[in-house]
mmCIF file of all heavy atoms in Angstrom:
data_model
loop_
_atom_site.group_PDB
_atom_site.id
_atom_site.type_symbol
_atom_site.label_atom_id
_atom_site.label_comp_id
_atom_site.label_asym_id
_atom_site.label_seq_id
_atom_site.Cartn_x
_atom_site.Cartn_y
_atom_site.Cartn_z
ATOM 1 N N ASP A 1387 96.367 66.384 95.458
ATOM 2 C CA ASP A 1387 94.935 66.268 95.763
ATOM 3 C C ASP A 1387 94.449 67.456 96.583
ATOM 4 O O ASP A 1387 93.296 67.880 96.448
ATOM 5 C CB ASP A 1387 94.666 64.992 96.570
ATOM 6 C CG ASP A 1387 94.889 63.730 95.769
ATOM 7 O OD1 ASP A 1387 94.813 63.805 94.535
ATOM 8 O OD2 ASP A 1387 95.142 62.684 96.390
ATOM 9 N N TYR A 1388 95.306 67.968 97.450
ATOM 10 C CA TYR A 1388 94.842 68.933 98.437
ATOM 11 C C TYR A 1388 95.394 70.332 98.252
ATOM 12 O O TYR A 1388 95.069 71.227 99.025
ATOM 13 C CB TYR A 1388 95.177 68.444 99.848
ATOM 14 C CG TYR A 1388 94.320 67.267 100.254
ATOM 15 C CD1 TYR A 1388 94.790 65.974 100.117
ATOM 16 C CD2 TYR A 1388 93.038 67.457 100.737
ATOM 17 C CE1 TYR A 1388 94.003 64.890 100.464
ATOM 18 C CE2 TYR A 1388 92.244 66.381 101.093
ATOM 19 C CZ TYR A 1388 92.731 65.108 100.955
ATOM 20 O OH TYR A 1388 91.942 64.046 101.298
ATOM 21 N N GLY A 1389 96.219 70.539 97.288
ATOM 22 C CA GLY A 1389 96.732 71.891 97.173
ATOM 23 C C GLY A 1389 97.455 72.151 95.888
ATOM 24 O O GLY A 1389 97.798 71.249 95.131
ATOM 25 N N THR A 1390 97.668 73.438 95.642
ATOM 26 C CA THR A 1390 98.390 73.880 94.460
ATOM 27 C C THR A 1390 99.766 74.389 94.809
ATOM 28 O O THR A 1390 100.621 74.496 93.936
ATOM 29 C CB THR A 1390 97.611 74.996 93.766
ATOM 30 O OG1 THR A 1390 97.404 76.069 94.707
ATOM 31 C CG2 THR A 1390 96.256 74.506 93.292
ATOM 32 N N ALA A 1391 99.979 74.726 96.065
ATOM 33 C CA ALA A 1391 101.271 75.241 96.502
ATOM 34 C C ALA A 1391 101.501 74.837 97.955
ATOM 35 O O ALA A 1391 100.545 74.620 98.705
ATOM 36 C CB ALA A 1391 101.332 76.760 96.360
ATOM 37 N N VAL A 1392 102.742 74.746 98.327
ATOM 38 C CA VAL A 1392 103.136 74.436 99.702
ATOM 39 C C VAL A 1392 104.079 75.533 100.182
ATOM 40 O O VAL A 1392 104.979 75.943 99.438
ATOM 41 C CB VAL A 1392 103.835 73.071 99.781
ATOM 42 C CG1 VAL A 1392 104.281 72.789 101.214
ATOM 43 C CG2 VAL A 1392 102.899 71.970 99.294
ATOM 44 N N ALA A 1393 103.844 75.987 101.382
ATOM 45 C CA ALA A 1393 104.645 77.093 101.920
ATOM 46 C C ALA A 1393 105.230 76.737 103.277
ATOM 47 O O ALA A 1393 104.749 75.850 103.970
ATOM 48 C CB ALA A 1393 103.790 78.344 102.052
ATOM 49 N N TRP A 1394 106.261 77.482 103.615
ATOM 50 C CA TRP A 1394 106.814 77.451 104.961
ATOM 51 C C TRP A 1394 106.598 78.828 105.588
ATOM 52 O O TRP A 1394 106.845 79.858 104.946
ATOM 53 C CB TRP A 1394 108.303 77.129 104.934
ATOM 54 C CG TRP A 1394 108.609 75.705 104.612
ATOM 55 C CD1 TRP A 1394 108.895 75.182 103.384
ATOM 56 C CD2 TRP A 1394 108.637 74.607 105.537
ATOM 57 N NE1 TRP A 1394 109.105 73.818 103.481
ATOM 58 C CE2 TRP A 1394 108.956 73.450 104.793
ATOM 59 C CE3 TRP A 1394 108.439 74.484 106.909
ATOM 60 C CZ2 TRP A 1394 109.076 72.178 105.392
ATOM 61 C CZ3 TRP A 1394 108.560 73.240 107.490
ATOM 62 C CH2 TRP A 1394 108.878 72.100 106.741
ATOM 63 N N PHE A 1395 106.131 78.803 106.817
ATOM 64 C CA PHE A 1395 106.019 79.999 107.644
ATOM 65 C C PHE A 1395 106.846 79.745 108.898
ATOM 66 O O PHE A 1395 107.204 78.606 109.205
ATOM 67 C CB PHE A 1395 104.554 80.255 108.039
ATOM 68 C CG PHE A 1395 103.685 80.710 106.906
ATOM 69 C CD1 PHE A 1395 103.182 79.808 105.982
ATOM 70 C CD2 PHE A 1395 103.355 82.047 106.762
ATOM 71 C CE1 PHE A 1395 102.370 80.227 104.932
ATOM 72 C CE2 PHE A 1395 102.541 82.480 105.725
ATOM 73 C CZ PHE A 1395 102.049 81.566 104.811
ATOM 74 N N ARG A 1396 107.124 80.792 109.644
ATOM 75 C CA ARG A 1396 107.835 80.620 110.903
ATOM 76 C C ARG A 1396 107.335 81.629 111.928
ATOM 77 O O ARG A 1396 106.846 82.702 111.576
ATOM 78 C CB ARG A 1396 109.344 80.766 110.704
ATOM 79 C CG ARG A 1396 109.802 82.163 110.300
ATOM 80 C CD ARG A 1396 111.294 82.155 110.000
ATOM 81 N NE ARG A 1396 111.773 83.473 109.602
ATOM 82 C CZ ARG A 1396 113.003 83.724 109.174
ATOM 83 N NH1 ARG A 1396 113.901 82.740 109.088
ATOM 84 N NH2 ARG A 1396 113.358 84.949 108.834
ATOM 85 N N GLN A 1397 107.475 81.225 113.190
ATOM 86 C CA GLN A 1397 107.075 82.102 114.279
ATOM 87 C C GLN A 1397 108.167 82.112 115.327
ATOM 88 O O GLN A 1397 108.431 81.091 115.974
ATOM 89 C CB GLN A 1397 105.752 81.658 114.899
ATOM 90 C CG GLN A 1397 105.215 82.625 115.932
ATOM 91 C CD GLN A 1397 103.782 82.335 116.302
ATOM 92 O OE1 GLN A 1397 103.275 81.234 116.113
ATOM 93 N NE2 GLN A 1397 103.097 83.330 116.840
ATOM 94 N N ALA A 1398 108.800 83.268 115.454
ATOM 95 C CA ALA A 1398 109.841 83.446 116.461
ATOM 96 C C ALA A 1398 109.195 83.773 117.801
ATOM 97 O O ALA A 1398 108.054 84.257 117.849
ATOM 98 C CB ALA A 1398 110.781 84.573 116.033
ATOM 99 N N PRO A 1399 109.904 83.525 118.901
ATOM 100 C CA PRO A 1399 109.349 83.820 120.224
ATOM 101 C C PRO A 1399 108.911 85.273 120.345
ATOM 102 O O PRO A 1399 109.667 86.189 120.033
ATOM 103 C CB PRO A 1399 110.522 83.515 121.163
ATOM 104 C CG PRO A 1399 111.359 82.529 120.415
ATOM 105 C CD PRO A 1399 111.240 82.903 118.988
ATOM 106 N N GLY A 1400 107.667 85.463 120.770
ATOM 107 C CA GLY A 1400 107.159 86.806 120.983
ATOM 108 C C GLY A 1400 106.780 87.559 119.726
ATOM 109 O O GLY A 1400 106.453 88.747 119.793
ATOM 110 N N LYS A 1401 106.825 86.883 118.579
ATOM 111 C CA LYS A 1401 106.505 87.554 117.314
ATOM 112 C C LYS A 1401 105.367 86.836 116.601
ATOM 113 O O LYS A 1401 105.030 85.703 116.914
ATOM 114 C CB LYS A 1401 107.736 87.604 116.415
ATOM 115 C CG LYS A 1401 108.875 88.439 116.976
ATOM 116 C CD LYS A 1401 109.991 88.580 115.969
ATOM 117 C CE LYS A 1401 111.113 89.472 116.496
ATOM 118 N NZ LYS A 1401 112.211 89.625 115.507
ATOM 119 N N GLU A 1402 104.797 87.529 115.628
ATOM 120 C CA GLU A 1402 103.748 86.924 114.822
ATOM 121 C C GLU A 1402 104.356 85.963 113.798
ATOM 122 O O GLU A 1402 105.512 86.092 113.409
ATOM 123 C CB GLU A 1402 102.929 88.006 114.111
ATOM 124 C CG GLU A 1402 102.136 88.884 115.047
ATOM 125 C CD GLU A 1402 101.234 89.842 114.311
ATOM 126 O OE1 GLU A 1402 101.336 89.943 113.077
ATOM 127 O OE2 GLU A 1402 100.411 90.490 114.978
ATOM 128 N N ARG A 1403 103.538 85.034 113.358
ATOM 129 C CA ARG A 1403 103.988 84.109 112.331
ATOM 130 C C ARG A 1403 104.206 84.864 111.021
ATOM 131 O O ARG A 1403 103.406 85.744 110.665
ATOM 132 C CB ARG A 1403 102.960 82.996 112.146
ATOM 133 C CG ARG A 1403 103.450 81.855 111.287
ATOM 134 C CD ARG A 1403 102.722 80.555 111.601
ATOM 135 N NE ARG A 1403 101.283 80.637 111.502
ATOM 136 C CZ ARG A 1403 100.458 79.651 111.819
ATOM 137 N NH1 ARG A 1403 100.960 78.500 112.286
ATOM 138 N NH2 ARG A 1403 99.168 79.786 111.698
ATOM 139 N N GLU A 1404 105.287 84.523 110.312
ATOM 140 C CA GLU A 1404 105.619 85.218 109.076
ATOM 141 C C GLU A 1404 105.908 84.226 107.962
ATOM 142 O O GLU A 1404 106.323 83.091 108.200
ATOM 143 C CB GLU A 1404 106.845 86.124 109.267
ATOM 144 C CG GLU A 1404 108.131 85.382 109.578
ATOM 145 C CD GLU A 1404 109.352 86.288 109.594
ATOM 146 O OE1 GLU A 1404 109.224 87.495 109.319
ATOM 147 O OE2 GLU A 1404 110.450 85.786 109.878
ATOM 148 N N PHE A 1405 105.708 84.679 106.740
ATOM 149 C CA PHE A 1405 105.957 83.876 105.559
ATOM 150 C C PHE A 1405 107.452 83.713 105.330
ATOM 151 O O PHE A 1405 108.222 84.652 105.540
ATOM 152 C CB PHE A 1405 105.319 84.570 104.350
ATOM 153 C CG PHE A 1405 105.704 83.981 103.029
ATOM 154 C CD1 PHE A 1405 105.096 82.833 102.562
ATOM 155 C CD2 PHE A 1405 106.692 84.576 102.261
ATOM 156 C CE1 PHE A 1405 105.456 82.288 101.343
ATOM 157 C CE2 PHE A 1405 107.055 84.048 101.034
ATOM 158 C CZ PHE A 1405 106.435 82.899 100.577
ATOM 159 N N VAL A 1406 107.854 82.514 104.885
ATOM 160 C CA VAL A 1406 109.246 82.244 104.557
ATOM 161 C C VAL A 1406 109.405 81.964 103.054
ATOM 162 O O VAL A 1406 110.168 82.633 102.369
ATOM 163 C CB VAL A 1406 109.797 81.055 105.359
ATOM 164 C CG1 VAL A 1406 111.230 80.733 104.932
ATOM 165 C CG2 VAL A 1406 109.727 81.345 106.855
ATOM 166 N N SER A 1407 108.677 80.981 102.554
ATOM 167 C CA SER A 1407 108.845 80.592 101.158
ATOM 168 C C SER A 1407 107.659 79.753 100.715
ATOM 169 O O SER A 1407 106.988 79.138 101.543
ATOM 170 C CB SER A 1407 110.129 79.771 100.998
ATOM 171 O OG SER A 1407 110.309 79.360 99.661
ATOM 172 N N THR A 1408 107.420 79.730 99.402
ATOM 173 C CA THR A 1408 106.369 78.872 98.861
ATOM 174 C C THR A 1408 106.806 78.305 97.518
ATOM 175 O O THR A 1408 107.665 78.875 96.847
ATOM 176 C CB THR A 1408 105.038 79.630 98.717
ATOM 177 O OG1 THR A 1408 103.994 78.709 98.439
ATOM 178 C CG2 THR A 1408 105.101 80.649 97.594
ATOM 179 N N ILE A 1409 106.239 77.158 97.163
ATOM 180 C CA ILE A 1409 106.541 76.521 95.894
ATOM 181 C C ILE A 1409 105.250 76.012 95.269
ATOM 182 O O ILE A 1409 104.393 75.462 95.967
ATOM 183 C CB ILE A 1409 107.557 75.369 96.070
ATOM 184 C CG1 ILE A 1409 107.958 74.784 94.720
ATOM 185 C CG2 ILE A 1409 107.016 74.272 96.989
ATOM 186 C CD1 ILE A 1409 109.184 73.868 94.793
ATOM 187 N N SER A 1410 105.124 76.250 93.987
ATOM 188 C CA SER A 1410 103.971 75.748 93.252
ATOM 189 C C SER A 1410 104.135 74.247 93.017
ATOM 190 O O SER A 1410 105.180 73.811 92.526
ATOM 191 C CB SER A 1410 103.855 76.456 91.905
ATOM 192 O OG SER A 1410 102.941 75.789 91.059
ATOM 193 N N TRP A 1411 103.113 73.489 93.366
ATOM 194 C CA TRP A 1411 103.204 72.055 93.131
ATOM 195 C C TRP A 1411 103.113 71.758 91.636
ATOM 196 O O TRP A 1411 103.643 70.764 91.153
ATOM 197 C CB TRP A 1411 102.085 71.329 93.880
ATOM 198 C CG TRP A 1411 102.373 69.885 94.055
ATOM 199 C CD1 TRP A 1411 101.797 68.844 93.399
ATOM 200 C CD2 TRP A 1411 103.340 69.318 94.939
ATOM 201 N NE1 TRP A 1411 102.353 67.662 93.823
ATOM 202 C CE2 TRP A 1411 103.299 67.920 94.769
ATOM 203 C CE3 TRP A 1411 104.241 69.858 95.868
ATOM 204 C CZ2 TRP A 1411 104.109 67.061 95.487
ATOM 205 C CZ3 TRP A 1411 105.052 68.990 96.570
ATOM 206 C CH2 TRP A 1411 104.978 67.624 96.378
ATOM 207 N N ARG A 1412 102.458 72.631 90.916
ATOM 208 C CA ARG A 1412 102.222 72.394 89.485
ATOM 209 C C ARG A 1412 103.468 72.624 88.648
ATOM 210 O O ARG A 1412 103.862 71.771 87.861
ATOM 211 C CB ARG A 1412 101.093 73.289 89.005
ATOM 212 C CG ARG A 1412 100.781 73.216 87.523
ATOM 213 C CD ARG A 1412 99.520 74.020 87.215
ATOM 214 N NE ARG A 1412 99.565 75.359 87.788
ATOM 215 C CZ ARG A 1412 100.099 76.406 87.183
ATOM 216 N NH1 ARG A 1412 100.661 76.260 85.992
ATOM 217 N NH2 ARG A 1412 100.086 77.590 87.751
ATOM 218 N N ASP A 1413 104.129 73.786 88.825
ATOM 219 C CA ASP A 1413 105.241 74.106 87.930
ATOM 220 C C ASP A 1413 106.567 74.348 88.630
ATOM 221 O O ASP A 1413 107.567 74.648 87.985
ATOM 222 C CB ASP A 1413 104.908 75.320 87.051
ATOM 223 C CG ASP A 1413 104.669 76.585 87.871
ATOM 224 O OD1 ASP A 1413 104.987 76.601 89.084
ATOM 225 O OD2 ASP A 1413 104.168 77.566 87.302
ATOM 226 N N GLY A 1414 106.568 74.225 89.960
ATOM 227 C CA GLY A 1414 107.815 74.363 90.702
ATOM 228 C C GLY A 1414 108.292 75.785 90.899
ATOM 229 O O GLY A 1414 109.399 75.988 91.426
ATOM 230 N N SER A 1415 107.494 76.768 90.514
ATOM 231 C CA SER A 1415 107.916 78.156 90.732
ATOM 232 C C SER A 1415 107.981 78.433 92.225
ATOM 233 O O SER A 1415 107.228 77.854 93.007
ATOM 234 C CB SER A 1415 106.967 79.117 90.033
ATOM 235 O OG SER A 1415 105.636 78.917 90.470
ATOM 236 N N THR A 1416 108.903 79.304 92.600
ATOM 237 C CA THR A 1416 109.149 79.554 94.015
ATOM 238 C C THR A 1416 109.124 81.042 94.330
ATOM 239 O O THR A 1416 109.283 81.891 93.444
ATOM 240 C CB THR A 1416 110.511 78.982 94.433
ATOM 241 O OG1 THR A 1416 111.542 79.599 93.646
ATOM 242 C CG2 THR A 1416 110.565 77.480 94.241
ATOM 243 N N TYR A 1417 108.970 81.325 95.609
ATOM 244 C CA TYR A 1417 108.981 82.709 96.079
ATOM 245 C C TYR A 1417 109.501 82.706 97.501
ATOM 246 O O TYR A 1417 109.171 81.810 98.280
ATOM 247 C CB TYR A 1417 107.568 83.292 96.019
ATOM 248 C CG TYR A 1417 107.491 84.764 96.331
ATOM 249 C CD1 TYR A 1417 107.990 85.704 95.442
ATOM 250 C CD2 TYR A 1417 106.913 85.214 97.510
ATOM 251 C CE1 TYR A 1417 107.925 87.056 95.725
ATOM 252 C CE2 TYR A 1417 106.836 86.561 97.806
ATOM 253 C CZ TYR A 1417 107.343 87.474 96.907
ATOM 254 O OH TYR A 1417 107.265 88.813 97.179
#
């Protein structure tokens, strides 16, 4: 209902938040 993909990001101490991984809810493709 609310999205086409779900991602994980992370933020280490003293650093900016960065991308980790994403998955398409529609077809399961990943990055």
Side-chain angles (χ1 to χ4, degrees):
D1387 292 337
Y1388 289 97
T1390 57
V1392 178
W1394 287 94
F1395 289 79
R1396 66 185 180 186
Q1397 187 167 21
K1401 296 187 177 180
E1402 294 186 351
R1403 191 155 55 185
E1404 65 173 357
F1405 170 80
V1406 176
S1407 179
T1408 191
I1409 185 167
S1410 167
W1411 199 254
R1412 177 173 49 87
D1413 62 13
S1415 56
T1416 59
Y1417 187 71

